Amino acid sequence: MKEESRMPLDPRETDPLERLLARDPRRVTRRHFLSSVGAGLGGIALGELLGGDGLLPSLSAASPTLPTGTPHFAPRAKRVIVLHMAGSPPQHDLFDPKPALAPLDGQKCPESFLEGERFAFIKGHPKILASPYSFAHHGGSGIEVSELLPHLSGEIDRCCVIRSMHTDQFNHAPAQLFLYSGSPRLGRPSMGSWATWGLGTENEDLPGYVVLVSGGKTPSAGKSVWGSGFLPSVHQGVQCRSTGDPVLYVGDPAGIDRATRRRALDTLARLNELEAERTGDPATLERIEQYELAFRMQVEVPGVMDIGRETPAIIEEYGASPGEASFANNCLLARRLVESGVRFVQLFDWGWDTHGTNPSDDIITQLPKKCRETDRPIAALLRDLDRRGLLDETLVVWTGEFGRTAMNEERNGSKYLGRDHHPHCYTIWLAGGGVKPGHVHGETDEFGVRITRDPVHVHDLQATILHLLGVDHTRLTYPYQGREFRLTDVHGKVIEGLLA
Amino acid sequence: MPRSPLFIPIAVLLGALLAIASEEPEVPANPVSAGGEPVEPGAIDFNAQVRPILFARCVSCHGPDAAAREGGLRLDTEEGSRAALPGGDAHAVVPGDLEGSELLFRVRDEDPAFRMPPPEKGDPLTSAEIAILERWIAEGGDYAPHWGFEPVRAVASPPAKEHPIDHWVETRAREAGLPGIGPPAPRPALIRRLSLDLTGLPPTLEEVDAFLADTAPGAWERLVDRTLTSPRFGERWASVWLELARYADTKGYEADRGRTIWPWRDLLIRTLDADLPFAEFTERMLAGDLLPPTGDPEEDERRILASAFHRNTMTNDEGGTDDEEFRTAAVLDRVDTTMLAWMGLTAGCAQCHDHKYDPLSREEYYALAAFFNQTEDADRGDEAPTIPFATAEQRERRAALEAERAEAAAALVAATTRFELPPAPEVPTGEPVEAPLSLPVVQEGMTPPFAELRVDGRLEAWRWRPPTDASGGVAAVVETRGNDGQVTQVFFPRSLIERPITTEDRLEVRFWLDPEDPPETVMVQIHTRDEGWEHRVVWGEDRIENGVSGSESRRLLGALPPLGEWTTRSFTAAEIGLDPTDRLQGVAFTQRGGRVEWASLHQIGRHPPDLRPVHSLSAFTDLLRASPGAPVPERLKELARRGLADLAPAERDELRAGFITAVHPAGRDAFRGADAETIRIGEELAQLERSVARVPVMRELPPERRRTTHVLTLGNFLQKEAEVTPAVPAAFHPFPADAPRDRLGLARWLVDDANPLTDRVQVNRTWERIFGRGLVETVEDLGTQGAVPSHPRLLDELVAVYRASDRRLKPLLRHIVTSRTYRATALMESEGRTIDPENRWLIRSSRTRLPAEMFRDQALAIGGILSPKKFGPPVFPPQPPGIWQVVYNGASWMESEGEDRRRRSLYTYWRRTSPYPSAMLFDAMSREVCSARRIRTDTPLQALVAMNDPVFVEAAGGLALRMLEAVPEDRGAALSHGFRRATARWPEAEERSLLEALLEGEREILAADPSRADALLRSAGVTAPEGVASAELAALVIAAQVILQLDEVWTRP
């Protein structure tokens, strides 16, 4: 991994050339970047082409708050891994124990739960659903964790558990978009795009923003949750896959081997140099570099993505199985990627939408299954990052897109137990990267229906994540369609109580 | 790798830039006046110099948004700047008074607590900015309106013989200290440039040869005219509009299911091919359904189909969503899209607050939304309202079947003319008797004869069981249960007892609703031979989405009956569009959620008249005139009504034939089964009609169902504020006095000559698609936050040309491409490169990377494998496996076969949540919302596409084969041929020898490794012709890949 060599800069001290070239960031193309590299072509790096720092516009008189390509202040985290349990896990059964529900189990819920509420599926007067799972205090911090997560329970002292998350959205797709782009509607850049646009990447041969998907489905909101919106498309998340080509089109067609490709690219480069001489267009030289970097990526990416290179002990610890598509494999890949300097890694695991309409989406069969699939690899990831000295500078975020109700959904009289969508409170946890370890933030009422202390809104979480990365969320802005846009829109505050 | 000798020129370039940069003040050194006049030294230009400072640094807090305005100060208007500030007699701007102007005092203040802008809003103004404000106030502090909102001005004609474009470009270039327009590009580059720009495809070698051979004067204009009439023109420009229209083949949101709207895409292509005037284009796209009928049904259908433009909004069928929420989102999206695509304004900001920069308040935004809030569509899963759209093949088949049916009917008539009616027996005459009738269609406890019971499509036994509540005297019921949020149906589709029915008949259904688990909706549906299931009645919420709400295909009959008791409900046959020739064939009981018990369905009415005693044609005619309920086709009744004496012989034969085959005892015996052919054809026709695609379109609500429109807090459909009515923003020209207050009127307002923006936006966008950069660079924003035009007079001159040609695209393009500016070389060797690296002043041509569609289509065309097929359903070219993984939707990418693998890119199936991956890597937008501009990026992931995407590998295969075929005996000449197919020019000797060396080397290596050669040929989708070794062709594939990957091929020449 490369050391970050640049120090935070006062934007006003940047090279006047860069300021000239970056006057209008909407105009930024590779061409400008090339021209701005004082050292000449040797200065172009794949990392910069793939969401690296070269694209960062600086400032103009009109927009003094554009990113500088370096953090606004010293970062606590250099990289982020988001573990997204798509569909949204039930807080009552995992992290927010509510013994007060037990005596009411199966009875109609208090009227107060229903006032002014609309539900996605619940009809009529729903009944209380106490968690069928037991909780115990764990670790030195004594944080309560469900019996469904025995492995994570052993690592809970590393986690900062937020029981007071809330969101504005109660359907999957808009809520996922809201979490990652700050807007429930499509078209805004995702958090990872903002991060790589603002900070670049640390490895020149890998994308700065990688997405890994398990559970057989992409999340409800589709690829928009790693889209770059109006930011340059180089900043969109690159979905790496554990089967097929790890990155789209990275594999050579049958019949082309490395040596052939090398010779063909050498011929191409010489032809393109002739073209550059003829036209005088520096963009032609960039094209040569892109082919060269693509050629290097063809080697580098499959290497990083090959978990078969890990020791059997590590593979065993994660419960990974090389060659298959699984959440455990993705956790191990996430570590390999951040270790290689990837800035933002986003894992989506499908199957947490436990409404209880049948055994494949209830909290008795499906929820324990999902917990079994994820518990061990997540615990292994935290330990493994720590062992390698990476946890301090890597922020790990475990989350869904909203919470679930304290009531049984009972759709169509279903006899399976499950919970409907609930935006007003839910639990997530953070670990590493500058957050308080072994800490619980916020509190909900005795039924886990409303927040009673220290609410954390989605925009606050976004502001805090950027803060940990050394970025002031109000200053990471991009002019588009007539105004400055930012991840947190016009909201959000850094939650100091989460910071170590 | 050897570095290019270009290193030195770049260093020079950098040096020059640095030199400029160090002298560059913080504002444009060479300001562009809104009037296009060079700015006199000393004279301040408000729009070019002052406006950027005020609007970027002050107006977000001191601007039009009243809710966010600070300190009671408004700086976006002259009036506001002069007003007394609250709590004193200070004024922000006092003309000519530097000391008395509070604005200057505050921006210069050393104390951050007082200085503007406040520290949390941004850095202090620079000294250069403050100097400009000082000069401005010293010179009188005048405001000027935003250039884009000023009327389009008449532009003085340039000197005769000079192309106006060249005149204005050279004028501006000279002002910028540049030489004039560069020399023209070489002719091969010119034809390739023109062909790509106008048709999106490279020229064929024949076209290149023809152009090179035409050395007479006017050759260029002749080429331009040929190219403008190319059948590929509409496809190229449609791909521009598809992204504006956010066209996709899916609905968006969670499951992102399919949508049939490609007929609109085809119509768009045809419209652009036909070069419809933009005013008409606008009326059709925004309000085609509201245009008055023309008398030509096909033309009327095209106009309604055009209105599908605004049905490209997303539909959410995720479970548990509120349809009204997403209907509202679609309405607001129509406002945003219309304002962006037509007027280049970013209206969406005003959803939540007054626009911070442009003159559009929240009230005005929702007043615009009121125009779009009166359509029937309501985020329904079935996308209603829709219209049937028959493909050319289907229309042909329909016409053929109708002709066959007419022929069969004529044959039957002819046969009956030879049938002698026996003398009529003496029968008593008198009034025909229509006896009361109550026939069970579904009878308690009885399985309907010949019925096949299906529950949600599964075949089941018709199970009767005792009722939950016997108080209604019911003995047996069929119980049905609905899945929540979904429609459940129990139906028997093919009863062989076909029951005649008259319009006066009623149908009576008896059912019971479970009070513990009530449905939201119940529905009874009737199946007839001719119209299938398109007859429905509904009780409860209108939440079953089949048919068209409020019509015979979905008649709403009010609230659910009381729960927990037996209810009888009836409706007339006429209400659901049953007519006497219909034969009732099946019935379905349907519900959304809940539990229902069904007991019976009866047909109540009168027996049709007994036709048996009728033995003569005249008696038959009399009876038909007296008894409209008689069970014979309407056509016969119509003939009868006119009277035998008044019928033409052929009509008389027709009536007689109907009588003989359907009524007369002996005739019926004689012709039993003779109409089998007619019936078979009728069934096939019905089947055909059912298979016809249904396309979502706009349809205005009837007056009694109009909605009221409200201002919505933060665009939230539940938080309604004041009511608004349709109106246009006050800052613009008035709504045309004679125009209706609906979408059609809005369309006319948009293309009104007084509209300052629409034509500028269209012209600017066209320019941008040609030159890679707009005259106003922010093609997506011509409002106050947009860029200042580089050539304001040229922009207005182009608008004048556009208007003079009835706002047609082709004459505008012809005007542009016949300029010297267009034909200038792209070579960057002039001194202009150092002064104008971005080519803002246009003295050379733009060498831009081709857009996604063009890059792919070009590769297929060069490889000779591009399918020329136009129109039709979207296709599925190869894409890597595993791309489509969408929740709740098992749809998979079924790779097309044959030529559909190699169609132009705009025919590729577009799934919003998972668009065609290579297009996305080349900056295509996902089309969830309107997008007016792609930001070009260049990344190694694109290089991976060019190297490894099967489409490009197959294109290389095609090119290799064509090289071999064109010059079988000479590899060097073959390579030259391939090079020319790709670039339109012959390779230089050095280029050719580099390719030859590669070819020779690879052939030798592959010859030693035949299995690899074969593998490569399989990848490339080609096989070696007789007498050619695999290694030979495989080496050519490698060379062809290099040719297709040339930077020259990536770029517009």
Side-chain angles (χ1 to χ4, degrees):
Chain A
M1 185 180 19
K2 287 196 157 186
E3 270 307 301
E4 276 180 316
S5 56
R6 286 166 296 118
M7 295 294 290
L9 287 177
D10 181 332
R12 277 162 292 187
E13 290 167 12
T14 51
D15 181 348
L17 170 68
E18 285 195 53
R19 299 207 328 251
L20 172 75
L21 292 166
R23 185 173 298 285
D24 182 354
R26 285 169 292 193
R27 214 197 286 147
V28 171
T29 65
R30 299 297 312 127
R31 188 173 309 203
H32 300 94
F33 171 57
L34 182 86
S35 319
S36 71
V37 177
L41 290 169
I44 304 178
L46 175 60
E48 290 156 346
L49 291 163
L50 277 174
D53 43 20
L55 286 171
L56 284 186
S58 58
L59 51 150
S60 67
S63 300
T65 51
L66 291 172
T68 59
T70 53
H72 293 124
F73 36 80
R76 299 297 305 272
K78 290 180 175 172
R79 296 164 293 274
V80 179
I81 297 174
V82 181
L83 309 170
H84 191 112
M85 309 298 116
S88 295
Q91 70 273 22
H92 295 90
D93 302 304
L94 299 180
F95 290 107
D96 199 8
K98 294 297 166 191
L101 292 175
L104 302 174
D105 191 37
Q107 299 174 25
K108 287 190 172 172
C109 72
E111 288 287 345
S112 63
F113 287 19
L114 309 177
E115 278 160 24
E117 277 300 298
R118 56 189 182 114
F119 294 100
F121 294 99
I122 282 178
K123 295 228 160 49
H125 199 133
K127 301 177 190 99
I128 292 287
L129 175 58
S131 179
Y133 301 107
S134 65
F135 283 73
H137 298 275
H138 290 278
S141 61
I143 296 175
E144 284 176 279
V145 184
S146 162
E147 61 179 327
L148 290 173
L149 301 171
H151 291 92
L152 184 71
S153 297
E155 309 298 326
I156 198 68
D157 283 349
R158 305 181 191 276
C159 299
C160 175
V161 176
I162 308 173
R163 289 192 177 135
S164 53
M165 277 303 300
H166 65 113
T167 179
D168 300 351
Q169 299 296 320
F170 80 148
N171 285 310
H172 297 292
Q176 289 170 356
L177 282 169
F178 192 54
L179 173 59
Y180 290 106
S181 76
S183 163
R185 304 263 179 263
L186 299 149
R188 299 273 180 87
S190 63
M191 204 188 300
S193 301
W194 282 111
T196 54
W197 180 67
L199 297 167
T201 184
E202 299 170 314
N203 184 324
E204 300 177 346
D205 298 340
L206 287 173
Y209 176 14
V210 170
V211 177
L212 301 164
V213 173
S214 57
K217 303 272 190 188
T218 49
S220 300
K223 304 185 176 186
S224 313
V225 291
W226 57 86
S228 56
F230 42 71
L231 292 178
S233 64
V234 290
H235 296 287
Q236 74 195 5
V238 173
Q239 188 184 350
C240 288
R241 303 155 353 132
S242 43
T243 52
D245 280 346
V247 163
L248 287 179
Y249 312 113
V250 82
D252 288 315
I256 298 278
D257 60 14
R258 294 271 80 197
T260 309
R261 180 68 82 194
R262 183 66 268 161
R263 291 189 298 271
L265 284 183
D266 285 344
T267 304
L268 178 64
R270 284 195 288 276
L271 286 164
N272 280 341
E273 280 163 14
L274 291 173
E275 169 77 358
E277 276 176 59
R278 197 171 64 82
T279 62
D281 184 355
T284 305
L285 301 178
E286 284 180 65
R287 189 89 56 215
I288 297 172
E289 289 303 316
Q290 284 154 18
Y291 279 113
E292 287 307 309
L293 300 168
F295 181 78
R296 279 176 10 224
M297 229 169 97
Q298 287 190 286
V299 177
E300 185 75 6
V301 170
V304 174
M305 292 294 293
D306 182 5
I307 56 173
R309 300 182 182 195
E310 295 286 328
T311 64
I314 287 283
I315 290 174
E316 169 63 20
E317 185 179 359
Y318 279 82
S321 33
E324 289 174 21
S326 75
F327 181 79
N329 285 12
N330 288 351
C331 281
L332 183 45
L333 281 174
R335 192 221 79 215
R336 289 178 66 84
L337 289 165
V338 296
E339 198 173 32
S340 305
V342 173
R343 177 76 63 189
F344 209 96
V345 183
Q346 210 166 309
L347 269 62
F348 286 94
D349 184 55
W350 175 254
W352 292 83
D353 193 15
T354 44
H355 284 280
T357 63
N358 62 66
S360 68
D361 76 346
D362 74 346
I363 62 168
I364 302 300
T365 309
Q366 174 71 359
L367 179 63
K369 174 171 171 278
K370 292 311 292 182
C371 288
R372 275 194 304 278
E373 286 170 10
T374 56
D375 183 40
R376 180 167 146 194
I378 290 173
L381 174 65
L382 293 177
R383 272 194 306 272
D384 197 12
L385 286 171
D386 189 38
R387 272 198 303 267
R388 288 161 201 259
L390 290 166
L391 188 58
D392 283 347
E393 51 186 39
T394 304
L395 175 66
V396 180
V397 180
W398 180 96
T399 188
E401 57 266 21
F402 42 58
R404 307 204 78 96
T405 55
M407 297 84 80
N408 187 16
E409 179 175 307
E410 229 181 324
R411 197 188 307 180
N412 301 328
S414 168
K415 299 298 171 231
Y416 298 97
L417 300 179
R419 304 176 188 274
D420 202 353
H421 306 169
H422 184 72
H424 308 303
C425 62
Y426 61 107
T427 303
I428 73 168
W429 56 258
L430 315 176
V435 297
K436 267 185 202 160
H439 176 72
V440 174
H441 182 91
E443 191 179 86
T444 56
D445 63 21
E446 59 178 333
F447 304 120
V449 172
R450 299 275 169 177
I451 295 167
T452 52
R453 188 166 54 78
D454 295 338
V456 180
H457 185 266
V458 163
H459 283 132
D460 301 333
L461 177 69
Q462 292 161 342
T464 307
I465 292 174
L466 289 181
H467 178 86
L468 290 165
L469 286 167
V471 174
D472 176 349
H473 70 107
T474 65
R475 287 162 67 200
L476 187 71
T477 65
Y478 190 85
Y480 176 68
Q481 295 197 341
R483 78 162 172 104
E484 295 288 331
F485 280 83
R486 63 183 219 218
L487 174 62
T488 48
D489 198 3
V490 295
H491 311 284
K493 57 183 185 301
V494 174
I495 305 292
E496 302 285 341
L498 302 174
L499 309 179
Chain B
M1 250 191 76
R3 286 287 171 214
S4 148
L6 260 194
F7 193 74
I8 291 168
I10 287 173
V12 170
L13 166 76
L14 287 170
L17 285 167
L18 276 167
I20 300 164
S22 54
E23 291 161 12
E24 174 84 348
E26 296 285 334
V27 295
N30 203 345
V32 183
S33 136
E37 310 295 337
V39 175
E40 296 299 317
I44 280 284
D45 182 274
F46 177 81
N47 274 324
Q49 292 167 285
V50 182
R51 180 184 289 277
I53 302 172
L54 289 184
F55 275 71
R57 309 301 308 279
C58 315
V59 162
S60 67
C61 300
H62 300 295
D65 182 356
R69 198 175 299 145
E70 300 284 344
L73 170 62
R74 183 167 184 182
L75 280 172
D76 62 314
T77 64
E78 186 166 317
E79 199 185 359
S81 75
R82 306 294 201 268
L85 292 166
D89 53 357
H91 300 261
V93 173
V94 181
D97 183 355
L98 297 190
E99 294 308 308
S101 294
E102 184 73 8
L103 169 67
L104 292 178
F105 186 71
R106 294 297 292 275
V107 299
R108 289 187 297 212
D109 204 312
E110 300 279 305
D111 182 351
F114 292 95
R115 186 174 57 223
M116 284 288 151
E120 70 274 14
K121 295 287 182 182
D123 294 335
L125 300 192
T126 63
S127 53
E129 286 173 324
I130 292 172
I132 287 184
L133 293 178
E134 286 171 347
R135 275 170 64 196
W136 170 58
I137 289 176
E139 287 170 22
D142 290 340
Y143 277 68
H146 171 59
W147 68 270
F149 300 162
E150 287 286 271
V152 176
R153 289 150 310 141
V155 178
S157 307
K161 284 199 168 176
E162 196 179 5
H163 194 297
I165 292 178
D166 301 331
H167 174 78
W168 297 120
V169 166
E170 297 219 301
T171 305
R172 297 297 289 133
R174 277 197 302 276
E175 286 164 12
L178 288 164
I181 298 162
R187 296 185 94 205
L190 275 182
I191 181 173
R192 181 163 169 255
R193 180 188 298 171
L194 184 78
S195 186
L196 287 168
D197 283 343
L198 298 191
T199 70
L201 292 176
T204 63
L205 285 188
E206 293 70 37
E207 287 165 338
V208 175
D209 290 337
F211 176 55
L212 296 183
D214 184 358
T215 51
W220 178 249
E221 287 72 16
R222 281 190 291 282
L223 175 69
V224 167
D225 290 337
R226 278 201 300 279
T227 312
L228 281 172
T229 54
S230 159
R232 319 314 313 198
F233 177 89
E235 292 171 327
R236 173 339 187 209
W237 293 92
S239 69
V240 173
W241 272 96
L242 291 181
E243 218 157 89
L244 288 165
R246 64 298 196 229
Y247 169 88
D249 298 301
T250 58
K251 297 175 185 176
Y253 295 115
E254 189 176 43
D256 198 21
R257 296 193 174 86
R259 157 185 288 170
T260 305
I261 198 165
W262 57 266
W264 174 81
R265 178 250 283 143
D266 284 357
L267 180 81
L268 175 70
I269 297 169
R270 288 179 209 276
T271 305
L272 291 162
D273 269 332
D275 205 14
L276 207 65
F278 190 66
E280 266 183 67
F281 177 90
T282 301
E283 288 184 358
R284 286 168 190 234
M285 293 291 155
L286 298 181
D289 55 314
L290 295 175
L291 287 166
T294 58
D296 173 358
E298 285 194 11
E299 171 63 9
D300 290 348
E301 185 188 300
R302 278 194 291 274
R303 289 165 168 222
I304 293 169
L305 180 59
S307 76
F309 175 86
H310 267 327
R311 293 305 309 280
N312 282 305
T313 47
M314 297 192 287
T315 298
N316 194 344
D317 48 18
E318 181 181 350
T321 56
D322 192 318
D323 288 345
E324 181 60 11
E325 177 174 3
F326 293 95
R327 187 193 73 80
T328 305
V331 167
L332 300 187
D333 180 51
R334 287 169 192 152
V335 177
D336 299 352
T337 297
T338 305
M339 295 310 278
L340 182 54
W342 267 265
M343 287 179 66
L345 289 180
T346 56
C349 303
Q351 260 183 40
C352 306
H353 52 74
D354 294 349
H355 201 293
K356 293 211 183 278
Y357 307 105
D358 291 331
L360 180 67
S361 70
R362 277 177 75 216
E363 283 71 23
E364 287 175 320
Y365 178 85
Y366 287 97
L368 282 171
F371 285 104
F372 294 100
N373 199 27
Q374 300 301 351
T375 53
E376 251 174 33
D377 58 287
D379 197 55
R380 299 189 176 284
D382 70 349
E383 309 247 37
T386 57
I387 56 165
F389 178 85
T391 61
E393 294 80 52
Q394 285 169 326
R395 282 167 209 249
E396 247 171 60
R397 184 72 194 133
R398 180 197 283 152
L401 285 170
E402 278 167 356
E404 267 183 57
R405 182 162 66 176
E407 206 178 301
L412 189 59
V413 171
T416 56
T417 55
R418 294 188 292 274
F419 180 76
E420 293 284 332
L421 276 175
E426 285 300 318
V427 286
T429 54
E431 291 306 305
V433 179
E434 297 188 3
L437 164 90
S438 176
L439 274 174
V441 180
V442 175
Q443 171 86 320
E444 256 174 68
M446 278 177 57
T447 302
F450 309 108
E452 159 185 304
L453 175 68
R454 283 172 190 268
V455 177
D456 275 348
R458 287 187 318 277
L459 263 179
E460 291 200 352
W462 189 271
R463 266 195 313 273
W464 293 92
R465 65 169 202 54
T468 302
D469 171 9
S471 66
V474 169
V477 297
V478 171
E479 182 206 60
T480 61
R481 275 176 194 276
N483 275 331
D484 199 31
Q486 286 169 25
V487 171
T488 303
Q489 292 198 308
V490 177
F491 54 94
F492 60 98
R494 271 198 305 164
S495 168
L496 291 184
I497 299 233
E498 292 187 4
R499 183 183 300 286
I501 193 158
T502 76
T503 41
E504 285 78 23
D505 284 357
R506 283 179 305 119
L507 288 157
E508 203 171 80
V509 60
R510 193 156 168 73
F511 57 101
W512 183 89
L513 307 179
D514 186 350
E516 292 290 310
D517 185 15
E520 290 173 57
T521 310
V522 293
M523 177 169 90
V524 174
Q525 195 173 355
I526 300 298
H527 188 271
T528 60
R529 193 170 66 194
D530 291 346
E531 287 160 311
W533 287 107
E534 294 300 312
H535 312 277
R536 301 177 186 85
V537 287
V538 171
W539 292 276
E541 292 179 42
D542 184 18
R543 295 202 64 188
I544 293 178
E545 295 174 338
N546 306 92
V548 174
S549 182
S551 78
E552 62 196 40
S553 65
R554 191 161 88 232
R555 188 68 66 193
L556 311 177
L557 297 182
L560 287 179
L563 309 180
E565 57 186 71
W566 281 100
T567 312
T568 304
R569 283 284 182 274
S570 74
F571 50 96
T572 67
E575 274 180 299
I576 55 170
L578 300 179
D579 65 53
T581 57
D582 279 333
R583 293 292 187 278
L584 195 150
Q585 283 188 316
V587 62
F589 300 123
T590 304
Q591 73 211 84
R592 199 175 149 112
R595 189 174 82 87
V596 188
E597 295 180 357
W598 306 87
S600 62
L601 177 73
H602 278 75
Q603 180 185 352
I604 311 291
R606 305 184 75 76
H607 276 292
D610 185 0
L611 296 173
R612 278 170 302 178
V614 181
H615 285 255
S616 73
L617 182 60
S618 60
F620 177 66
T621 308
D622 292 344
L623 184 130
L624 291 192
R625 296 172 81 162
S627 175
V632 301
E634 273 302 308
R635 168 74 179 157
L636 297 186
K637 287 182 212 170
E638 181 197 320
L639 293 172
R641 268 197 298 279
R642 283 164 51 197
L644 273 180
D646 291 335
L647 293 180
E651 290 171 327
R652 199 171 184 281
D653 287 347
E654 195 183 340
L655 183 61
R656 185 171 178 274
F659 171 61
I660 291 169
T661 54
V663 177
H664 189 273
R668 280 213 319 245
D669 285 345
F671 289 95
R672 196 175 301 284
D675 61 351
E677 181 65 3
T678 326
I679 291 171
R680 182 197 62 75
I681 295 167
E683 277 168 2
E684 198 180 327
L685 266 169
Q687 201 177 346
L688 176 76
E689 295 309 329
R690 280 195 294 278
S691 70
V692 164
R694 298 199 70 92
V695 183
V697 293
M698 297 293 259
R699 186 188 288 150
E700 207 76 338
L701 285 170
E704 71 276 9
R705 291 179 50 220
R706 291 284 153 87
R707 302 184 182 95
T708 53
T709 306
H710 295 266
V711 174
L712 302 177
T713 310
L714 300 174
N716 183 333
F717 75 113
L718 293 174
Q719 286 178 270
K720 292 182 177 171
E721 301 176 35
E723 190 178 330
V724 288
T725 55
V728 296
F732 292 98
H733 57 292
F735 198 76
D738 56 345
R741 286 265 159 186
D742 58 12
R743 284 177 284 122
L744 186 56
L746 182 69
R748 290 187 180 146
W749 178 80
L750 286 170
V751 294
D752 195 308
D753 270 349
N755 191 319
L757 285 172
T758 300
D759 291 341
R760 284 181 172 132
V761 167
Q762 307 316 311
V763 162
N764 189 50
R765 182 161 59 227
T766 305
W767 186 275
E768 191 235 10
R769 295 302 167 133
I770 297 290
F771 289 92
R773 173 194 176 107
L775 293 171
V776 181
E777 191 184 345
T778 51
V779 292
E780 76 283 16
D781 187 3
L782 266 64
T784 56
Q785 289 298 286
V788 171
S790 56
H791 299 71
R793 282 180 296 189
L794 174 54
L795 185 62
D796 281 357
E797 192 270 339
L798 292 171
V799 168
V801 168
Y802 186 50
R803 290 185 174 178
S805 60
D806 221 5
R807 296 184 173 94
R808 290 175 196 267
L809 183 56
K810 287 185 181 183
L812 174 68
L813 286 168
R814 189 178 197 284
H815 181 71
I816 292 173
V817 303
T818 51
S819 64
R820 275 194 299 127
T821 305
Y822 179 81
R823 281 176 287 175
T825 176
L827 301 190
M828 302 175 78
E829 54 200 5
S830 67
E831 58 186 296
R833 178 174 66 207
T834 49
I835 302 181
D836 185 19
E838 296 173 6
N839 198 22
R840 187 169 159 89
W841 303 116
L842 295 165
I843 61 167
R844 61 173 184 272
S845 189
S846 314
R847 202 172 168 281
T848 46
R849 199 256 293 147
L850 299 181
E853 298 87 345
M854 229 182 256
F855 188 56
R856 178 180 176 277
D857 294 354
Q858 174 187 251
L860 293 171
I862 294 168
I865 58 172
L866 178 71
S867 159
K869 188 171 154 192
K870 276 177 103 170
F871 308 126
V875 296
F876 300 81
Q879 80 171 8
I883 298 286
W884 273 21
Q885 288 192 345
V886 182
V887 292
Y888 302 126
N889 188 343
S892 60
W893 183 270
M894 297 294 290
E895 209 164 280
S896 296
E897 298 193 350
E899 67 175 326
D900 277 350
R901 292 165 64 88
R902 294 153 179 190
R903 300 275 301 279
R904 284 193 80 166
S905 299
L906 83 166
Y907 298 114
T908 298
Y909 192 93
W910 198 265
R911 175 171 216 161
R912 284 185 162 110
T913 53
S914 187
Y916 192 58
S918 70
M920 296 307 283
L921 292 174
F922 281 80
D923 307 326
M925 307 302 272
S926 58
R927 303 200 186 153
E928 284 136 348
V929 293
C930 171
S931 167
R933 184 179 176 200
R934 288 182 191 173
I935 303 293
R936 263 191 308 280
T937 62
D938 291 296
T939 76
L941 298 177
Q942 294 164 352
L944 289 174
V945 172
M947 297 194 299
N948 300 329
D949 181 349
V951 170
F952 287 82
V953 180
E954 288 178 19
L959 180 59
L961 209 53
R962 268 143 199 89
M963 290 194 282
L964 193 66
E965 285 163 3
V967 199
E969 301 309 322
D970 179 347
R971 292 292 171 264
L975 288 167
S976 291
H977 172 85
F979 192 96
R980 194 159 176 258
R981 284 180 75 98
T983 63
R985 70 176 174 93
W986 294 108
E988 307 283 343
E990 192 178 354
E991 290 169 328
R992 177 167 151 165
S993 63
L994 279 167
L995 286 168
E996 278 180 306
L998 177 69
L999 179 69
E1000 309 268 312
E1002 295 309 309
R1003 180 173 43 211
E1004 204 167 303
I1005 291 164
L1006 287 164
D1009 190 353
S1011 66
R1012 196 156 70 77
D1014 289 334
L1016 180 52
L1017 293 186
R1018 276 194 300 280
S1019 304
V1022 287
T1023 46
E1026 280 276 318
V1028 176
S1030 294
E1032 181 77 41
L1033 184 60
L1036 270 170
V1037 172
I1038 292 168
Q1041 272 218 311
V1042 169
I1043 290 173
L1044 286 171
Q1045 291 164 3
L1046 289 170
D1047 181 64
E1048 191 173 353
V1049 175
W1050 284 68
T1051 44
R1052 177 181 181 271

